[in-house]
Amino acid sequence: MDERLPDPELFRQGGFRVASRLFIEGDIRGDERQVARLRRFAQREDPAADVLVPLLRKGVQRQFEQALRQGIDSVEDPPKELEAFFRNVEATPYWVDPDRLDRGARAVTRAGLLGLFPLGDVSLMGGYLASRATKSLVGTGEIEYKAARRLVETATWWIDVTTPGALVPGGRGYESALRVRIVHAHVRAAMNRREDWDYAAWDKPVNQVQTAGTLLLFSLVYVFGTQLLGLRYSARERADILHLWRYVGWLMGVDEELLPAGEDDAWRLLWLLATTEFIPDDDSKRLAAALMRSHAAIGEGRGAVGKVLSHVSVAAHGSISRLLLGKTNADFLELPDDPIAQAAVVAVAGVNFAAETVRRLVPGATALQERLGAAGRRHYLRQVTKVFRLDPTYGRHMKAA
């Protein structure tokens, strides 16, 4: 008897139903034993990072910053917890291939600013379906009320870790990955201090399952989202992108058992996560509404033209989310349902696919597209840093937690 479980809602409709037919080889469904194994990781946190929180509050921040930029050997007489943390992250795993990291980063960079659409409309919006994970987001109090800023900060972090050459020790991506790991530790400490945290219903805050899920949303789901928007990757490029994110996940403290070694592993893990974690609730709706309001804000203060911009922005972003996440999930999140906008997204995807087909055939076109994509990302970083006055150390989030 086949003991595999039925598909979760995410894989029954929308883009992920398409994926199960076009992009996934074999049967990725899991069984009850695999679900139980995964659920055990929902009670695991990140001890190596968590022990640093009280030390950082007592004045070890300067030593942390020095170790982050120059290595732990440059720090004189560091606390044993700080030394253990950096000795571990500086000992690069045997499976890390710098050439693959570079190729994966260049493949992501090629999407340019188009990559921000699936990042926000599928990766972030899809993450809101995981209601247990949203409890920490809602608990910090800032996700709902400062959605635009957090969207920009997430995009900036994502650009940092996917820039070619940025994951070397001391590089911008390397620093950003470790800083966010420490932010997660501060959030865990804050949530664990709350008397109303429901461990039975919500698991441990920012646990291993949730961090691994975030990793998949930024890697596999991002790649799949760009594919449905018409971008094309070779099998090697997809594998290299996942290799890059496997290393980012390792830097962020994800247990190695939860780091997919390849595309098949990633799809299987996403299926298990969709079965056990993607169960939306009212907080999911609140966060989705806040994200849509941030898209509408593009037209604020621009009069009649601004109203048009706001409408188009909400319609476009909502349509991408609806097409990929499926009708049932989109209806639950109360996303706009605009058939005309959805048809326009499909048409743009067709144009992108045709252009991508030409790119793959023309010598030098891929390298040119990588340079254009990199230029677009750099321009975006300059603009949002100026407007939002971003703090690359994430110190504000640690203080808020």
Side-chain angles (χ1 to χ4, degrees):
M1 181 179 295
D2 191 348
E3 298 179 348
R4 301 191 190 201
L5 298 170
D7 280 330
E9 186 63 48
L10 187 69
F11 281 85
R12 293 178 191 166
Q13 299 179 356
F16 288 91
R17 185 168 181 266
V18 174
S20 65
R21 298 187 175 187
L22 299 180
F23 300 109
I24 302 174
E25 296 184 8
D27 191 344
I28 63 171
R29 293 178 299 155
D31 58 30
E32 291 287 359
R33 290 166 298 182
Q34 290 173 313
V35 167
R37 174 70 179 174
L38 176 68
R39 289 293 301 147
R40 284 200 284 271
F41 284 96
Q43 303 306 318
R44 297 188 190 180
E45 298 174 309
D46 183 2
D50 292 340
V51 296
L52 297 182
V53 172
L55 294 177
L56 293 171
R57 288 176 177 155
K58 293 178 181 178
V60 181
Q61 186 68 43
R62 183 186 60 78
Q63 290 176 300
F64 175 83
E65 293 291 333
Q66 183 176 336
L68 189 63
R69 294 189 172 97
Q70 302 173 36
I72 191 62
D73 286 334
S74 71
V75 179
E76 183 177 350
D77 194 25
K80 63 179 185 301
E81 296 89 349
L82 186 69
E83 181 172 12
F85 177 84
F86 277 101
R87 292 290 179 206
N88 181 61
V89 297
E90 289 176 7
T92 306
Y94 77 91
W95 44 261
V96 173
D97 183 338
D99 291 336
R100 295 189 66 189
L101 296 179
D102 184 68
R103 291 199 303 265
R106 286 192 283 111
V108 172
T109 299
R110 193 172 67 231
L113 297 184
L114 179 64
L116 298 180
F117 284 87
L119 182 69
D121 301 336
V122 187
S123 299
L124 285 181
M125 188 67 79
Y128 293 158
L129 296 172
S131 58
R132 284 189 286 257
T134 66
K135 296 301 175 283
S136 293
L137 300 179
V138 172
T140 62
E142 291 197 340
I143 285 287
E144 183 173 9
Y145 301 108
K146 297 182 180 179
R149 183 182 185 88
R150 292 303 296 267
L151 175 61
V152 166
E153 288 178 336
T154 299
T156 301
W157 177 84
W158 173 79
I159 291 174
D160 285 346
V161 300
T162 58
T163 296
L167 289 177
V168 298
R172 183 66 176 266
Y174 174 88
E175 289 186 15
S176 293
L178 294 180
R179 288 187 191 282
V180 167
R181 181 176 179 179
I182 298 301
V183 170
H184 287 172
H186 279 273
V187 172
R188 268 191 299 273
M191 297 302 106
N192 282 324
R193 290 194 298 270
R194 292 178 58 138
E195 295 182 359
D196 62 345
W197 187 266
D198 190 340
Y199 291 95
W202 305 338
D203 301 323
K204 293 289 184 69
V206 199
N207 60 62
Q208 286 286 321
V209 169
Q210 293 169 4
T211 311
T214 300
L215 188 72
L216 280 184
L217 289 169
F218 287 156
S219 56
L220 178 73
V221 173
Y222 165 80
V223 170
F224 171 60
T226 57
Q227 284 179 300
L228 288 190
L229 289 180
L231 276 77
R232 302 186 65 181
Y233 306 92
S234 67
R236 189 175 82 162
E237 286 175 332
R238 295 195 307 273
D240 289 339
I241 292 172
L242 291 177
H243 184 78
L244 180 150
W245 281 100
R246 185 185 182 192
Y247 182 45
V248 172
W250 186 86
L251 289 172
M252 293 182 66
V254 178
D255 192 287
E256 292 213 43
E257 186 174 335
L258 297 180
L259 293 175
E263 199 165 357
D264 290 343
D265 282 1
W267 279 116
R268 288 178 181 277
L269 180 56
L270 181 65
W271 189 95
L272 288 170
L273 290 168
T275 297
T276 61
E277 306 301 311
F278 288 16
I279 307 168
D281 64 5
D282 287 342
D283 283 334
S284 305
K285 293 181 182 180
R286 291 170 58 193
L287 292 167
L291 184 56
M292 295 309 297
R293 286 196 298 272
S294 74
H295 295 316
I298 190 174
E300 289 181 356
R302 299 185 180 186
V305 173
K307 292 182 180 179
V308 173
L309 284 174
S310 294
H311 175 77
V312 170
S313 177
V314 169
H317 288 288
S319 295
I320 294 173
S321 296
R322 179 170 286 275
L323 288 169
L324 271 69
L325 299 179
K327 179 180 179 354
T328 300
N329 285 324
D331 285 347
F332 185 89
L333 295 176
E334 300 176 347
L335 300 180
D337 188 359
D338 187 331
I340 296 176
Q342 292 166 40
V345 169
V346 173
V348 169
V351 172
N352 288 339
F353 186 86
E356 283 280 272
T357 301
V358 173
R359 172 189 62 76
R360 300 176 76 177
L361 296 174
V362 176
T366 296
L368 175 61
Q369 188 59 41
E370 289 171 2
R371 290 196 293 272
L372 292 174
R377 285 162 40 122
R378 287 194 299 270
H379 176 73
Y380 173 83
L381 288 178
R382 286 194 298 269
Q383 293 300 110
V384 298
T385 299
K386 183 189 308 180
V387 172
F388 289 90
R389 298 180 182 178
L390 299 180
D391 174 15
T393 70
Y394 305 106
R396 183 176 63 86
H397 296 294
M398 297 182 199
K399 291 178 182 177

